[in-house]
Amino acid sequence: MRYEIHHRSTYTYDESVSIGHHLARLAPRELLHQHCEWHGVDVEPEPMSLAGHRDYFGNQCLFFALHGAHKTLTVTAHSFVVVHPPVLAAPEETPAWETLREAVRGDFLTPDVAAGEYAFASAMVKPGKQFAEYALESFKPGVTVLKAALDLNERIFRDFKFDPAATDVATPVHEAFEKRRGVCQDFAHILIACIRSLGIPARYVSGYLETLPPPGKPKMVGADASHAWVSVWCGPVHQWQDLDPTNKCRPQERHITVAYGRDFADVSPLRGVVYGSGEQSLKVAVDVTPR
């Protein structure tokens, strides 16, 4: 599938802001099954400086600085991306989860050990006993890691309710877990917390999901949104395999990957600091259109 993506973020400030330094992660990644044909970002008002780099996780970043009074900031990313069906590992062909857990703790640098950095706690995901106990209902002795992760992915979809009013971007993962509700960010963090609590590497994936309108209805402009899902390490042969607990699926052509990280804090699409007073509001509109 070939997609055209528009992602517009508009900040409105109660009082004029004189200085703003911002970091955007909005460029789709280059993957074996995904190719970004073109990507551009427009910033209003015009920034005084722009600089691009790749972060520790290989995500493409854009830093920009604004000097001068302004009451709104609009950042519009425009991309053309081609997504092919990814290679999906057969669950029964992945190693037993206990075997993989020991492999990522090895004394010598191997692909398993390198992936092991995603098995530790991170800023927004702290492994714990409650997550391990919940995960162990799926991770039974001798079960392969992907088979167990798929079962856990389905259980989270079944046991948790999608509720945008229940959480916000800063809600701790344990709170969303206790409420049994939240949004895609919360579902991804919960799945990661459960898997890491058993010593298995899991990483956070941010991107887009092309949504389909109801039969016979036109697609609404701005109806798509940023999305989040999870990659689970399945050994050096099958490597990272994606799971989407919000939709109980394995991401394929309708999922467009933008960034990887330990949790949302590593991959926030747009973040920054401003000098000024008063409150601010944010409006985001995303369109993912097949081309």
Side-chain angles (χ1 to χ4, degrees):
M1 291 291 294
R2 184 174 185 265
Y3 296 103
E4 180 178 7
I5 302 169
H6 284 272
H7 182 157
R8 172 169 290 186
S9 302
T10 302
Y11 286 89
T12 303
Y13 308 107
D14 288 344
E15 304 292 337
S16 291
V17 168
S18 58
I19 297 175
H21 289 178
H22 304 271
L23 187 66
R25 291 183 179 87
L26 295 165
R29 289 190 67 125
E30 287 291 322
L31 305 171
L32 290 176
H33 70 282
Q34 177 176 295
H35 171 57
C36 183
E37 297 180 330
W38 185 87
H39 172 75
V41 177
D42 292 323
V43 180
E44 298 178 8
E46 184 176 354
M48 288 193 64
S49 60
L50 289 158
H53 71 279
R54 291 193 181 275
D55 65 15
Y56 172 80
F57 305 102
N59 304 312
Q60 188 172 326
C61 303
L62 177 68
F63 169 82
F64 58 92
L66 302 172
H67 293 180
H70 56 282
K71 295 192 71 172
T72 62
L73 166 64
T74 301
V75 181
T76 305
H78 187 194
S79 308
F80 287 92
V81 185
V82 176
V83 184
H84 300 287
V87 177
L88 301 181
E92 65 276 7
E93 294 179 358
T94 60
W97 71 270
E98 301 99 330
T99 302
L100 185 65
R101 178 182 59 186
E102 295 307 311
V104 303
R105 298 173 177 174
D107 296 327
F108 302 98
L109 184 59
T110 65
D112 287 323
V113 171
E117 68 176 314
Y118 290 97
F120 295 98
S122 57
M124 299 186 74
V125 177
K126 301 292 191 290
K129 181 180 178 181
Q130 71 273 38
F131 299 117
E133 290 176 346
Y134 183 80
L136 284 171
E137 294 184 32
S138 299
F139 284 75
K140 299 184 183 301
V143 175
T144 65
V145 63
L146 185 52
K147 182 177 180 180
L150 284 167
D151 185 74
L152 177 60
N153 189 64
E154 183 172 342
R155 286 175 51 223
I156 291 174
F157 174 83
R158 183 176 66 243
D159 294 347
F160 291 75
K161 179 179 176 59
F162 188 88
D163 181 0
T167 59
D168 59 36
V169 70
T171 299
V173 63
H174 70 269
E175 185 177 318
F177 183 77
E178 291 167 0
K179 288 183 175 180
R180 289 295 199 269
R181 58 186 58 228
V183 295
C184 60
Q185 174 184 311
D186 303 300
F187 289 10
H189 280 162
I190 290 167
L191 179 55
I192 291 170
C194 289
I195 292 174
R196 287 185 189 168
S197 294
L198 300 181
I200 303 298
R203 65 188 184 188
Y204 188 100
V205 187
S206 71
Y208 305 108
L209 174 63
E210 192 265 328
T211 57
L212 300 175
K217 298 292 184 179
K219 183 173 180 176
M220 296 177 63
V221 174
D224 297 306
S226 294
H227 192 45
W229 59 98
V230 176
S231 276
V232 179
W233 179 251
C234 292
V237 175
H238 301 291
Q239 302 191 7
W240 296 100
Q241 296 291 314
D242 287 1
L243 304 175
D244 182 349
T246 306
N247 295 291
K248 194 183 68 173
C249 71
R250 300 179 70 177
Q252 298 192 52
E253 288 179 282
R254 290 174 56 207
H255 288 69
I256 301 104
T257 300
V258 171
Y260 298 141
R262 294 163 299 180
D263 55 40
F264 175 77
D266 290 332
V267 302
S268 175
L270 187 63
R271 66 193 310 169
V273 293
V274 298
Y275 183 78
S277 60
E279 299 295 323
Q280 67 180 29
S281 61
L282 171 63
K283 182 179 180 181
V284 178
V286 177
D287 290 308
V288 180
T289 307
R291 295 301 185 192

